[in-house]
């Protein structure tokens, strides 16, 4: 499986470029809307060839890159159970 931290950094860089913000910005400056979160979710699913189960509220912790990696890792683990 692809390294989740690398995947998160790559996806954040893509979203940052689309938003015209620096790629090393905090996730809260890159993923600012529910549409951004949906794009991020779909990109994770596509890259990992999986379906992630999410509820009505997106489960991403955007307070830091480390927390975002942790929340994606947890979602991927749940999906593979």
């Amino acid at each position: 499986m692809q390294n989740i931290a690398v995947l998160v950094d790559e996806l954040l860089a893509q979203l940052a470029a689309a938003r015209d913000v620096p790629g090393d910005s905090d996730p809260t400056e890159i993923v600012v809307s529910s549409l951004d979160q949906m794009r991020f979710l779909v990109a994770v699913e596509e890259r990992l060839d999986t379906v992630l189960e999410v509820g009505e509220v997106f489960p991403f912790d955007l307070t830091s890159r480390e927390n975002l990696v942790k929340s994606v890792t947890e979602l991927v683990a749940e999906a593979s159970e």
Side-chain angles (χ1 to χ4, degrees):
M1 178 183 295
Q2 184 173 359
N3 182 308
I4 300 296
V6 171
L7 172 67
V8 166
D9 283 340
E10 290 173 356
L11 295 178
L12 286 176
Q14 290 175 0
L15 287 172
R19 297 192 65 65
D20 198 26
V21 297
D24 61 349
S25 298
D26 287 335
T28 55
E29 295 175 20
I30 299 172
V31 183
V32 297
S33 69
S34 58
L35 182 56
D36 292 336
Q37 287 198 34
M38 181 59 81
R39 287 182 180 127
F40 185 83
L41 173 69
V42 169
V44 169
E45 289 178 330
E46 288 176 350
R47 293 283 291 275
L48 298 178
D49 193 29
T50 190
V51 175
L52 302 177
E53 297 296 324
V54 296
E56 293 181 23
V57 177
F58 287 104
F60 302 121
D61 182 347
L62 300 171
T63 57
S64 70
R65 286 177 183 259
E66 295 79 21
N67 289 341
L68 181 54
V69 168
K70 191 183 308 183
S71 62
V72 170
T73 300
E74 291 170 1
L75 279 174
V76 170
E78 289 173 10
S80 63
E81 291 179 347

